[in-house]
Amino acid sequence: MQPTLLVTVTGGASFLSPRTFQPLLAAAHEQVWIAAFVLRTGSYRHIADGLAPYGLITEKAAAPSYRQRRFTSAHEQRYAITAVKAAGEDPQGRETDGYFHTELHLSRPAKDTAALPLTTFTSESV
């Protein structure tokens, strides 16, 4: 059996909870990284808080955001714009342009956050 070192979430974070990750993290032989692309319409805080007891620190990339998919209706777009504003974010140029957008949340051990800053993996460093 190969060890798991990276878990990716590319949609559906709003359907997950810290309990989702507990069996995987409890069975891991090494500390796992979790890279989650989370819709800007919701919060990842409850999951990040649930990962902390496993020694994982969660950082959110300041930029960029990533298109997930087009809105299926004007109603869905209005919902997203309202939710993004309620989260304290600016929907201009993202949700206002007709797409759900995600942001990267990277959870990993403290030693890795110190050795490899989050900007190493994003265009923030450019």
Side-chain angles (χ1 to χ4, degrees), residues 106-119:
L106 186 60
S107 304
R108 55 203 173 121
K111 66 178 176 52
D112 295 336
T113 64
L116 296 165
L118 183 56
T119 56

Side-chain angles (χ1 to χ4, degrees), residues 19-36:
R19 263 189 6 201
T20 306
F21 297 96
Q22 288 171 350
L24 174 67
L25 296 173
H29 297 290
E30 297 180 47
Q31 286 189 303
V32 174
W33 286 27
I34 298 174

Side-chain angles (χ1 to χ4, degrees), residues 3 7-8 13 16 18-19 25 30-31 33 38 43 45 52 54 63-64 73-74 88 95 101 103 107 119-120 123 125:
V7 174
T8 59
L16 304 177
R19 263 189 6 201
L25 296 173
E30 297 180 47
Q31 286 189 303
W33 286 27
V38 180
S43 173
R45 177 58 30 214
Y54 294 93
S73 66
E95 290 80 12
H101 276 251
E103 292 174 319
S107 304
T119 56
T120 304
S123 63
S125 59

